[in-house]
Amino acid sequence: MNELYKKQVRSALVSWFLEEKRDLPWRKTKDPYKIWVSEVMLQQTKVDTVIPYYERFIAKYPSLESLATAKEGELLKEWEGLGYYSRARNLQAGVKEVVEAYGSVVPSTRKEISKLKGVGPYTAGAVLSIAYGVPEHAVDGNVMRVLSRLLFIKEDIAKPKTKKIFEEAVMELIDENNPSAFNQGLMELGAVICTPTKPKCLLCPVREYCTAFFEGKQEELPIKTINKKTKLHKMKAVVIERDNGQILLEKRPSKGLLANMWQFPMVELPTATHTVEEVVEHDYGIAIKKENELIAFKHIFSHLVWEVESFEGELVTEKELPAPCKWFTKEEVSNQPMPVPVIKIWNAWKERNNI
Ligand code: SF4
């Protein structure tokens, strides 16, 4: 990249961003904690979804200290529906480290901030550039898409080592005088103009400097090989109510997918000849009669898919329950942190029972 090219790209991008940027709540602050929260929420989640969560979260936990001392159950409840719950736990763990080891001041160097739990290279660069004005790269999928087109980079972005090429490209191009607007400009361009399909090149501020546009190959980039096949799990979930109106929930293990969240008893049938009743009795020690179907849907996680069928179950006999299971009143059920697929089942049950 020659100096003139770099100067033109950064100037076009920064001026466009300053003029056209969307009015988003986290753009009204330079508080590194709040920017950190927003960047964590925005990972794998759309801006429109994040806005109300961010506003509620910051109202409830306005400072590092308030988040550091929050109870995990309450924190997960605030995060409920955003998915990827380990993000919330890691954020809290990182925030606790800042309170305890850094006197409640978010570190301002890549070396230190990267040591915090849950802070990867992207989040580190985003917080450093936006909150502290440090010229550091913040490369995610959006930024790789924009740069692969702009600079005609044909490396496979599915390979982890490719990221380095893009990080180096950002470090070459970045506006040292306004790294915040430069990095946010790249992110914004990827979100609203240089979209995965049908990029709006005619509205693009860097079109004049874009090789893919000149080659007519903008939709062929970035190169991304397909991931391994996602695993499909056929889950059968049962909402069981006992005579006193309480509902049975089970807490998921403290590690792994949806850790510590609550769900209705959920089983996978080992073979097609097993029934839901048999497997529930085997796994939970209670006899039930499967009744009305509630809702069936697919829920896609990053590397696996749940194909969920859910039912009402009548309790026939009750024995001692395994440790992670507990009966809750209906009000208590609604107050437990539950992942999106479980909330869907709960809403279907309430609708059927006019609650
Ligand atoms: Fe993306 Fe088109 Fe702009 Fe190139 S000209 S950066 S392909 S929107």
Side-chain angles (χ1 to χ4, degrees):
M1 278 183 267
N2 69 41
E3 286 309 316
L4 179 63
Y5 176 82
K6 288 193 262 184
K7 207 170 148 194
Q8 287 170 326
V9 169
R10 63 175 78 106
S11 154
L13 183 66
V14 167
S15 325
W16 170 78
F17 176 73
L18 295 175
E19 281 282 309
E20 303 286 335
K21 63 181 177 199
R22 288 169 296 172
D23 182 21
L24 302 173
W26 47 89
R27 288 192 174 153
K28 297 185 172 74
T29 180
K30 289 252 177 240
D31 181 341
Y33 161 66
K34 291 177 185 162
I35 289 162
W36 183 5
V37 170
S38 71
E39 288 299 338
V40 171
M41 286 187 167
L42 286 164
Q43 287 160 20
Q44 280 127 355
T45 312
K46 290 194 180 110
V47 165
D48 290 347
T49 310
V50 168
I51 292 172
Y53 279 92
Y54 171 83
E55 287 180 328
R56 273 199 306 271
F57 195 91
I58 292 298
K60 180 145 189 180
Y61 307 118
S63 63
L64 290 150
E65 290 82 358
S66 55
L67 179 56
T69 52
K71 291 206 178 87
E72 192 190 63
E74 282 175 22
L75 172 63
L76 291 177
K77 193 73 200 155
E78 284 303 314
W79 208 269
E80 185 180 273
L82 267 181
Y84 301 98
Y85 298 91
S86 55
R87 290 184 297 174
R89 287 194 198 89
N90 287 339
L91 173 65
Q92 188 185 36
V95 162
K96 276 186 188 163
E97 286 175 59
V98 172
V99 171
E100 286 158 17
Y102 293 94
S104 296
V105 179
V106 177
S108 60
T109 63
R110 184 175 284 276
K111 196 169 168 219
E112 281 185 315
I113 200 171
S114 300
K115 287 185 196 150
L116 300 173
K117 179 109 184 168
V119 177
Y122 169 82
T123 310
V127 174
L128 292 174
S129 60
I130 300 170
Y132 292 122
V134 181
E136 280 289 349
H137 58 79
V139 172
D140 66 355
N142 269 337
V143 169
M144 285 200 277
R145 181 174 61 255
V146 174
L147 290 179
S148 71
R149 291 170 176 172
L150 180 67
L151 305 173
F152 215 58
I153 298 174
K154 288 158 107 182
E155 308 292 325
D156 180 1
I157 65 163
K159 292 189 181 145
K161 66 174 189 198
T162 302
K163 205 159 174 208
K164 199 150 182 35
I165 297 170
F166 288 92
E167 289 171 352
E168 283 167 6
V170 172
M171 294 311 276
E172 256 202 79
L173 263 181
I174 200 163
D175 186 339
E176 303 257 339
N177 297 318
N178 200 344
S180 167
F182 180 86
N183 276 346
Q184 291 188 81
L186 278 181
M187 298 169 194
E188 188 82 346
L189 196 62
V192 300
I193 304 268
C194 196
T195 44
T197 54
K198 298 198 174 74
K200 302 173 190 71
C201 301
L202 296 179
L203 301 174
C204 178
V206 294
R207 188 187 63 224
E208 275 182 68
Y209 317 106
C210 178
T211 312
F213 175 73
F214 281 113
E215 300 276 336
K217 296 203 166 148
Q218 50 278 50
E219 296 231 36
E220 289 169 33
L221 289 168
I223 308 282
K224 188 178 182 188
T225 51
I226 309 291
N227 270 339
K228 295 180 245 119
K229 258 186 153 182
T230 45
K231 236 177 145 191
L232 179 72
H233 292 269
K234 297 187 173 186
M235 312 301 287
K236 316 281 178 203
V238 197
V239 182
I240 304 165
E241 183 181 16
R242 67 176 175 188
D243 287 347
N244 64 4
Q246 288 180 319
I247 305 280
L248 185 59
L249 288 182
E250 171 190 21
K251 196 175 198 181
R252 292 184 60 86
S254 60
K255 294 231 158 24
L257 183 71
L258 308 174
N260 282 342
M261 310 282 289
W262 290 87
Q263 65 183 22
F264 301 108
M266 204 180 282
V267 294
E268 269 187 285
L269 306 186
T271 68
T273 54
H274 281 81
T275 65
V276 173
E277 283 96 333
E278 282 168 347
V279 184
V280 166
E281 182 151 21
H282 174 269
D283 289 2
Y284 296 91
I286 47 173
I288 60 152
K289 202 167 123 219
K290 188 177 117 191
E291 299 210 309
N292 303 315
E293 183 164 335
L294 288 169
I295 184 173
F297 57 92
K298 271 191 182 171
H299 189 84
I300 299 166
F301 298 95
S302 50
H303 295 299
L304 61 94
V305 176
W306 277 3
E307 200 173 85
V308 181
E309 279 182 87
S310 60
F311 309 89
E312 288 187 295
E314 189 196 320
L315 187 63
V316 181
T317 55
E318 184 182 339
K319 297 189 203 140
E320 201 181 326
L321 289 165
C325 291
K326 212 172 152 187
W327 293 100
F328 286 100
T329 64
K330 294 180 189 73
E331 205 189 341
E332 286 167 338
V333 171
S334 295
N335 288 330
Q336 300 312 311
M338 299 193 291
V340 171
V342 178
I343 294 172
K344 272 191 191 162
I345 298 168
W346 182 227
N347 288 340
W349 185 89
K350 285 193 291 184
E351 204 176 302
R352 171 173 282 274
N353 291 280
N354 297 320
I355 289 172

